[in-house]
Amino acid sequence: MKRDNSGTIGKNDRRTQENHPTHSGSAMIDGREYWINGWVKNSDRGSFLSLSFRAKEPRQEPVSDAPFNDDIPF
C-alpha cells in the first residue's frame, strides 16, 4: 500500500534512446497516482535530477465513432 505524498524513483533499465529518462518511478500525491520520470543533467553548478510527473490514467479500450457496416465487401 502506498502512502500519500510519497513515492520512489530508481534507475531506468529499459532506456533505449538518449532522450529517454535515466530514472523512473511512481508517487501518490493527494490520493492520486503519478508516474515520475527523471533525467540526470549538468550545469555550471554541478549535476542535478530534472523531474516530470504524469497522472496515471485508467486503461480504456479504444472506442470507434465510426458506424459498423456489414455491407463492406472484403
Side-chain angles (χ1 to χ4, degrees):
M1 176 175 234
K2 293 186 180 182
R3 288 188 347 207
D4 202 17
N5 299 319
S6 67
T8 60
I9 190 169
K11 185 176 179 186
N12 181 6
D13 293 330
R14 299 183 305 166
R15 185 174 190 227
T16 58
Q17 295 181 13
E18 276 300 308
N19 63 336
H20 287 174
T22 56
H23 294 76
S24 60
S26 63
M28 181 169 300
I29 302 170
D30 291 333
R32 186 163 185 193
E33 291 191 69
Y34 289 85
W35 293 113
I36 307 170
N37 288 319
W39 294 262
V40 174
K41 296 190 176 185
N42 296 301
S43 74
D44 296 339
R45 300 166 106 185
S47 62
F48 62 95
L49 194 58
S50 175
L51 301 174
S52 73
F53 296 83
R54 181 173 41 94
K56 289 185 179 183
E57 300 293 334
R59 292 187 179 197
Q60 296 179 358
E61 295 296 321
V63 177
S64 174
D65 290 337
F68 184 76
N69 187 346
D70 274 339
D71 296 333
I72 300 174
F74 285 98

